[in-house]
Amino acid sequence: DTEVTQTPKHLVMGMTNKKSLKCEQHMGHRAMYWYKQKAKKPPELMFVYSYEKLSINESVPSRFSPECPNSSLLNLHLHALQPEDSALYLCASSQFLDPGANVLTFGAGSRLTVL
Amino acid sequence: AQTVTQSQPEMSVQEAETVTLSCTYDTSENNYYLFWYKQPPSRQMILVIRQEAYKQQNATENRFSVNFQKAAKSFSLKISDSQLGDTAMYFCAFILDDKIIFGKGTRLHILP
C-alpha cells in the first residue's frame, strides 16, 4: 500500500458544528503532516507529527485540533470554524521527519466548506 | 529567510511540445533539496522530480528534467513531448531541514 487516504473527500459544516478529518497510511511512515491549501495558492503547513508526537505547530488557531492516535492515523478535529477556514486540507506522510531526504506522499485532500 | 519565486503564473503549450517552467530561490545555505510537485485537477500533490543541492548533475525522470544552476539559484523544470495528462498546477519547493517552502505555482495547460 503506497497511498495516503483522506476522508471525507468533501465536508460542509456550520460554524457551530464539530467535525473531524481523517488521514490514514500503511506505509510505515513515522512522520505525518497537515497542510491547508486555499484556491490557487500553495499548501501551507499546519502541523507535523513525528513518532506520534506533535513536532511542529505553525501557530494554528485552537479551533483546529490535531490528534495522532497511532502511527497510521492522523485526525484533524474541527470546532467553531469560520468561513475563511474553507479550504482544501491535505495530509501527507514521510518515512521520517526530513522531507528533503524522505519524500512526502500526499493524500487527495478533504475539501472543507464552512457556512 | 528562504524564498521561492515562480515567475510564470500560467502557461499554455500544444501537445507534444517542450515547455520550461522557471523557479528561482534565495538562500544562504549550502545543503538543501529542491523538488517539483504537480497538482492535477484530482487535487493530489505528486512528486515530479527532486534534486539534492550537493549534486551537480541535473536530475531526470523520463520526460521531466531540471536545469539546476546553484550559483544562480535557479531550478527550472523542462517537460519534453508534453501530454494532455501533464495539465496541472506545478509547484517548485525548497526544502531545508524540516521546512518546505513552496513557490506560488505555475498553472500549465496542455492544448490538444
Side-chain angles (χ1 to χ4, degrees):
Chain A
D1 188 351
T2 58
E3 289 188 348
V4 173
T5 303
Q6 289 188 244
T7 55
K9 290 190 183 341
H10 300 274
L11 178 63
V12 179
M13 61 186 289
M15 290 189 284
T16 58
N17 292 158
K18 282 186 182 181
K19 298 284 184 182
S20 297
L21 305 180
K22 180 179 171 182
C23 174
E24 194 166 1
Q25 57 86 16
H26 296 286
M27 296 177 280
H29 288 178
R30 304 315 299 264
M32 296 185 76
Y33 309 70
W34 278 117
Y35 282 87
K36 173 182 177 180
Q37 187 178 24
K38 301 286 269 184
K40 299 185 181 181
K41 299 286 187 185
E44 298 174 8
L45 183 64
M46 300 176 73
F47 303 104
V48 182
Y49 273 81
S50 178
Y51 286 88
E52 298 144 59
K53 292 194 185 324
L54 185 62
S55 178
I56 296 174
N57 177 344
E58 291 286 349
S59 303
V60 178
S62 60
R63 57 186 184 269
F64 295 91
S65 175
E67 179 198 18
C68 190
N70 60 58
S71 60
S72 300
L73 278 176
L74 184 66
N75 298 320
L76 186 62
H77 302 299
L78 314 170
H79 174 54
L81 295 192
Q82 304 295 311
E84 59 264 28
D85 296 322
S86 298
L88 181 68
Y89 288 84
L90 292 166
C91 176
S93 70
S94 62
Q95 189 171 10
F96 299 112
L97 184 58
D98 181 348
N102 300 275
V103 175
L104 294 185
T105 300
F106 282 86
S110 293
R111 185 165 301 284
L112 173 67
T113 303
V114 182
L115 301 176
Chain B
Q2 288 81 18
T3 59
V4 177
T5 302
Q6 293 180 249
S7 59
Q8 304 146 313
E10 197 155 1
M11 299 180 72
S12 296
V13 296
Q14 294 294 135
E15 192 177 5
E17 287 186 350
T18 294
V19 59
T20 299
L21 281 59
S22 67
C23 174
T24 58
Y25 59 94
D26 189 24
T27 184
S28 58
E29 301 292 333
N30 198 42
N31 294 317
Y32 48 86
Y33 295 86
L34 294 161
F35 288 11
W36 278 97
Y37 278 96
K38 165 186 176 180
Q39 189 175 33
S42 63
R43 310 181 319 199
Q44 188 169 13
M45 296 274 284
I46 301 165
L47 178 67
V48 175
I49 200 164
R50 67 194 288 257
Q51 175 84 41
E52 291 116 325
Y54 64 87
K55 287 188 177 179
Q56 291 188 334
Q57 188 172 5
N58 288 327
T60 299
E61 282 289 341
N62 301 314
R63 297 183 295 109
F64 299 88
S65 61
V66 297
N67 183 2
F68 175 46
Q69 302 288 329
K70 191 171 183 180
K73 297 178 184 173
S74 171
F75 183 62
S76 61
L77 174 69
K78 185 171 88 171
I79 306 174
S80 303
D81 186 27
S82 57
Q83 300 175 359
L84 296 178
D86 296 332
T87 291
M89 192 77 166
Y90 285 81
F91 292 101
C92 178
F94 171 94
I95 299 97
L96 178 66
D97 299 327
D98 56 3
K99 288 283 190 182
I100 301 177
I101 300 163
F102 288 99
K104 292 188 175 181
T106 295
R107 185 167 295 280
L108 178 64
H109 302 274
I110 308 299
L111 307 172

